[in-house]
Amino acid sequence: MSSGGVLGVAVPGSVFNNVHRTEIGKATRDLPGDAADGVRDSFAGALHVAEHLGGRPSAALADAAGNALGSGMNAALFIGLAVVFVGGGVAVALLPPRSQELSDERASRETR
């Protein structure tokens, strides 16, 4: 059971990180190395760098950071949702109906 919890965090987290870094990477092409690293490290770092840029580049970077964060969250949540639906489908397909379990239990009591 603990491996399911680990995978439940690791897989969506990896998807989020991959999508976020890809999206934010597009916005850091024209930034100097230190500033680009700050933007890639975190959303707060991106907003901090955007604050120091000023003007139109600031707004564009802040928007790109917000969009990258949203894209990453959407992708991670979609993966989580897909896992829930697949798991539910597998459970419905493979688990016996509850009424059958109760009937089998009653029958075994009556034969004792």
Side-chain angles (χ1 to χ4, degrees):
M1 186 69 157
S2 63
S3 62
V6 169
L7 289 175
V9 173
V11 172
S14 295
V15 169
F16 168 81
N17 190 41
N18 188 33
V19 171
H20 177 263
R21 284 192 173 262
T22 300
E23 292 291 318
I24 202 68
K26 297 172 188 174
T28 60
R29 288 185 188 136
D30 298 329
L31 295 175
D34 290 342
D37 289 342
V39 170
R40 279 189 227 104
D41 285 344
S42 70
F43 181 67
L47 294 181
H48 180 73
V49 170
E51 184 180 320
H52 290 331
L53 284 177
R56 281 188 144 168
S58 174
L61 181 58
D63 287 345
N67 290 337
L69 182 70
S71 295
M73 289 296 289
N74 284 340
L77 292 173
F78 179 75
I79 293 297
L81 183 64
V83 169
V84 167
F85 278 114
V86 168
V90 168
V92 167
L94 298 179
L95 292 175
R98 179 79 174 144
S99 60
Q100 182 180 350
E101 284 181 20
L102 291 175
S103 297
D104 292 345
E105 188 178 312
R106 287 183 189 140
S108 69
R109 284 187 197 159
E110 290 173 3
T111 57
R112 290 183 191 170

